[in-house]
Amino acid sequence: MDETEMPAPSYLSLLENGELQHRAVEAEEYLSSCVLCPRECKADRLSGKTGVCQIGARARVASYGPHLGEEDPLRGRRGSGTIFFGGCNLRCQFCQNYDISQVPAGVEVEPVRLAEIMLELQSVGCHNINFVSPTHVVPQILMGLLIAAKAGLRLPLVLQHRGL
Ligand code: SF4
């Protein structure tokens, strides 16, 4: 199915009725005593403290770009717009992305930069925005999505959550 035939992503209707902003603000409040995942560290991430995932107020982006190594339905012809996040709430002993998830790798980004990355991936023709290891940075993603959606993001989202 071509992108033009696909239904509009639901975050656009949430943007329109104000619910996306509401959810982004509400999610960010969880960072002040973080219980985003079952680790329940209660770290005050808004003031820079970190818990098991090792990430504070800002998400870390280790790398991003069109990913042609994903499964066919995700990569299509022009790639899946993959964003790899540094840090992880699982810390599996045999993680294949150890250098990203447990070092943790990447540069800290404000939501506006995250929005720019999403829009850049859309502009180069990616079929979707594919968040890898997003569980511990869902509030930051929502803030970025809010900005990107207002600026014209229209791609479907893929979340490759880790299972805790
Ligand atoms: S997201 Fe990070 S800081 Fe928050 S509860 Fe999970 S591991 Fe702890």
Side-chain angles (χ1 to χ4, degrees), residues 3 18-19 24 37 58 65 75 81 103 111 121 124 126 136 146 156:
E3 282 87 4
E19 184 62 21
C37 82
R58 285 180 290 280
R75 74 179 172 205
V103 171
L121 292 169
V124 298
C126 292
H136 58 298
L146 181 63

Side-chain angles (χ1 to χ4, degrees), residues 35-157:
V35 289
L36 277 185
C37 82
R39 296 280 192 192
E40 296 190 351
C41 301
K42 299 202 166 88
D44 181 1
R45 295 174 60 187
L46 292 178
S47 68
K49 300 270 190 331
T50 58
V52 171
C53 62
Q54 304 184 74
I55 300 299
R58 285 180 290 280
R60 272 181 183 267
V61 172
S63 65
Y64 68 94
H67 189 359
L68 294 166
E70 285 287 9
E71 291 79 4
D72 287 349
L74 293 180
R75 74 179 172 205
R77 298 179 308 282
R78 299 182 301 275
S80 176
T82 308
I83 303 174
F84 288 90
F85 289 105
C88 183
N89 54 320
L90 280 185
R91 302 186 63 76
C92 302
Q93 194 168 358
F94 302 107
C95 178
Q96 66 173 359
N97 289 339
Y98 177 91
D99 54 336
I100 297 173
S101 67
Q102 295 183 35
V103 171
V107 294
E108 290 189 349
V109 295
E110 298 287 350
V112 68
R113 177 61 189 138
L114 198 48
E116 287 172 359
I117 291 171
M118 294 181 214
L119 291 165
E120 187 181 329
L121 292 169
Q122 176 171 267
S123 74
V124 298
C126 292
H127 299 283
N128 47 63
I129 303 295
N130 182 353
F131 302 108
V132 178
S133 297
T135 309
H136 58 298
V137 288
V138 165
Q140 293 89 336
I141 290 172
L142 285 173
M143 282 296 181
L145 178 62
L146 181 63
I147 298 166
K150 285 179 181 173
L153 186 72
R154 295 294 178 269
L155 292 181
L157 307 179

